Amino acid sequence: LYVEFVDFGTKDWVERDMVRQVPVEWLSLPSLAVKLELGIELGDGMDEEIVGEKVWESLAREERMLVRVEQLVDIGKLRGHLVEFETLELAYQELVMKGFITVVSPTCDTRGV
């Protein structure tokens, strides 16, 4: 599907299983976007495009996430992590454990990684 992202207005092709229905009550909300810089880096020898796809896939599987803010970088730009709603673990924890990415934020609780 070719979609337009309402947060930044960009357009891109996405797999159908990456699209979620917006709850009806959200339709009346004004658009809002805040840039979140994830506190992660590529693992040693990893390809940025492949890892980017894996991170996107891991985020798309989560139905509910929270943002764990670690730093206000600038007005409208935060640094932190996306965490699972139920467990508060990194939404991309499996990728950290497999070495695709590393956590670089010094205050991050990586739950034993």
Side-chain angles (χ1 to χ4, degrees):
L1 296 174
Y2 192 68
V3 299
E4 181 176 358
F5 296 95
V6 296
D7 50 4
F8 290 102
T10 56
K11 298 176 183 178
D12 201 359
W13 288 96
V14 298
E15 297 293 326
R16 183 174 295 279
D17 63 347
M18 304 288 256
V19 178
R20 302 264 193 275
Q21 179 69 39
V22 174
V24 174
E25 59 270 17
W26 290 11
L27 297 176
S28 62
L29 296 174
S31 298
L32 172 69
V34 176
K35 290 185 179 186
L36 175 67
E37 180 180 296
L38 299 178
I40 59 175
E41 289 183 350
L42 283 176
D44 290 338
M46 295 293 164
D47 178 87
E48 184 174 356
E49 187 172 330
I50 292 171
V51 172
E53 287 177 19
K54 289 187 177 295
V55 169
W56 182 253
E57 288 169 5
S58 68
L59 297 178
R61 283 192 297 266
E62 297 297 324
E63 289 193 23
R64 295 174 72 184
M65 286 184 279
L66 299 172
V67 174
R68 185 169 63 211
V69 177
E70 295 185 354
Q71 183 180 13
L72 174 61
V73 179
D74 200 357
I75 295 175
K77 184 175 180 184
L78 308 171
R79 182 173 293 132
H81 292 282
L82 295 171
V83 297
E84 295 176 8
F85 182 79
E86 299 285 330
T87 66
L88 300 182
E89 289 186 8
L90 297 177
Y92 32 81
Q93 182 69 27
E94 184 177 332
L95 298 176
V96 174
M97 293 171 55
K98 291 181 177 179
F100 286 101
I101 56 177
T102 58
V103 175
V104 294
S105 191
T107 61
C108 178
D109 173 14
T110 58
R111 309 266 170 179
V113 171

